[in-house]
Amino acid sequence: MGRTAAEPPVGPMILVTGAGGYIGSRLVPRLLADGHRVRATFTNVSRANSLWWHEDPQVETVQMDVFDSASVDAAVEGVATAYYLIHGLADPEFERLDRLAAQTFAEAATRAGVERVIYLSGLVPMLPASELSPHLRSRLEVEQVLTTRAPSTVTLRAAMVIGGGSTSLEIMRQLSNRLPAQPLPTWMNSRLQPISVVDALEALVGALDPRVPSRWYDIGGPTAIGYGMLLWEFGRAAGLRRRPRVFVPFLPEPLVADLAGALVGAPGSTVEALIDSLSHDMVCADDDFVTELLPPGWQLMPLRESLQRAIVDSDSDCDQRDPMQRMPHDAAWTASSDGMVRGLTRGLIRLTTR
């Protein structure tokens, strides 16, 4: 598996942490397509066997526990650039754990002489940190840790990544499939600017250019849209009969987060953290990334096209070389197809046992 010691080096090694995750598993083949050598890290290295690119001779797969400084030191050794794609929303203590992980990684990268760290973060509204949701506050804190402790750091901030198997899209899919109507708190109709995973990957690759300065970039697609209208666009792309949208005032955020978390297959803490973030507008402050990170003439994928390309009914239809589609190695809950009744039952059980 991967490159053997006898093979000559081709170029500087690029480290992709979280290579088994949604973005990492799609970024590695994009880097390979440009001729890069990639060291891909996994908490459990056997997970690499489910990825179609794992036997490419340009790939080295390694085990890395981001909380174990020795394994992080080994992973960053000899690396010129490192992608930091680690985020632990599934754990209720994700804020503390993400902070510790970022500190461990940044210190190891500095010791190893890594020249650049590229971090995919969340789009952060221009608000005091105390007013941000825990999810966005944690993303910002990790960015600050990497920027102050690591070498040159380029941060890409995305509001929502659209692609089959992505957390945001699959939550929309399951909510749309399971609810006969779409009750939306008035505070949830905030505006956001989704980006297709193809465009996000291209921006991540563009951040390798040494001419790109150490800074943060907002990255988003061509459309800023309210969340309620985004659900409608998803239903249209999926061919669902139009669900009525009902905006409900004074619906408390904890109750909405609990209901949504119970209705979908994702870990409850993940759903709750993302729902909390929907109370903020998440729209790009500028479009600098288009000219500074993307190839000349690159056309951002329209929202409707990105939704249509992301919706695939079964794994048997998937092209594992198309990053827009859900893949067999994506989180198992994203393939869930159970019905509305089961979801509502789980929701009622969860709420009555709080």
Side-chain angles (χ1 to χ4, degrees):
M1 182 190 305
R3 173 175 297 277
T4 66
E7 293 177 298
V10 176
M13 180 73 76
I14 295 175
L15 179 71
V16 177
T17 65
Y22 183 77
I23 294 294
S25 63
R26 289 159 170 79
L27 176 60
V28 170
R30 177 62 189 82
L31 293 169
L32 294 174
D34 280 358
H36 295 292
R37 291 193 305 149
V38 178
R39 179 177 295 157
T41 78
F42 299 82
T43 304
N44 181 352
V45 78
S46 66
R47 180 170 168 75
N49 296 330
S50 65
L51 300 165
W52 63 268
W53 44 260
H54 82 280
E55 292 185 336
D56 190 294
Q58 294 289 91
V59 176
E60 176 188 347
T61 56
V62 300
Q63 189 275 338
M64 187 189 86
D65 177 353
V66 74
F67 301 109
D68 174 25
S69 59
S71 71
V72 179
D73 284 338
V76 298
E77 183 180 356
V79 165
T81 303
Y83 285 94
Y84 190 76
L85 305 175
I86 296 171
H87 192 40
L89 271 183
D91 194 299
E93 294 189 44
F94 69 86
E95 287 188 83
R96 180 183 65 82
L97 295 175
D98 276 0
R99 182 189 317 114
L100 177 59
Q103 291 169 348
T104 303
F105 186 84
E107 290 164 3
T110 300
R111 287 193 296 270
V114 175
E115 297 171 7
R116 168 161 294 188
V117 173
I118 301 171
Y119 171 50
L120 181 62
S121 181
L123 203 154
V124 182
M126 295 299 183
L127 295 171
S130 60
E131 297 180 23
L132 296 174
S133 69
H135 167 230
L136 293 178
R137 187 169 61 241
S138 176
R139 290 281 190 159
L140 179 60
E141 184 177 28
V142 168
E143 176 184 328
Q144 292 168 340
V145 168
L146 295 175
T147 300
T148 57
R149 300 196 183 201
S152 170
T153 301
V154 180
T155 298
L156 277 58
R157 298 175 172 180
M160 176 184 290
V161 176
I162 298 292
S166 74
T167 298
S168 298
L169 181 121
E170 297 303 337
I171 287 174
M172 282 196 296
R173 184 205 298 270
Q174 294 185 16
L175 287 176
S176 298
N177 284 336
R178 296 172 186 179
L179 290 174
Q182 295 173 346
L184 294 171
T186 50
W187 54 262
M188 192 186 284
N189 202 33
S190 51
R191 295 171 69 241
L192 65 160
Q193 196 166 344
I195 185 170
S196 75
V197 67
V198 169
D199 292 332
L201 293 175
E202 204 63 31
L204 285 165
V205 172
L208 289 170
D209 190 328
R211 295 171 296 181
V212 173
S214 178
R215 56 160 290 189
W216 58 263
Y217 292 89
D218 287 347
I219 64 172
T223 302
I225 189 170
Y227 191 72
M229 184 56 69
L230 179 60
L231 287 173
W232 183 85
E233 287 286 356
F234 174 85
R236 178 176 178 177
L240 300 175
R241 191 176 73 176
R242 184 169 181 176
R243 279 24 176 204
R245 287 179 291 141
V246 181
F247 288 97
V248 184
F250 312 120
L251 203 56
E253 293 182 30
L255 177 61
V256 174
D258 275 340
L259 283 170
L263 283 168
V264 303
S269 57
T270 297
V271 179
E272 291 162 16
L274 294 177
I275 290 292
D276 284 347
S277 298
L278 291 176
S279 60
H280 306 299
D281 281 336
M282 289 185 286
V283 178
C284 296
D286 56 52
D287 60 358
D288 290 356
F289 86 100
V290 174
T291 55
E292 297 186 27
L293 300 182
L294 298 179
W298 183 270
Q299 297 295 310
L300 294 169
M301 189 179 299
L303 175 61
R304 189 165 297 171
E305 180 183 346
S306 68
L307 290 170
Q308 290 170 340
R309 285 186 58 184
I311 298 169
V312 177
D313 292 332
S314 67
D315 290 341
S316 61
D317 296 328
C318 291
D319 175 3
Q320 291 198 54
R321 285 168 169 74
D322 181 358
M324 288 298 299
Q325 296 189 12
R326 186 186 176 277
M327 301 183 189
H329 68 266
D330 289 331
W333 70 266
T334 64
S336 176
S337 60
D338 56 350
M340 182 186 69
V341 173
R342 180 179 168 192
L344 287 171
T345 301
R346 289 176 58 224
L348 289 172
I349 291 172
R350 182 171 175 186
L351 287 175
T352 57
T353 56
R354 280 176 59 86

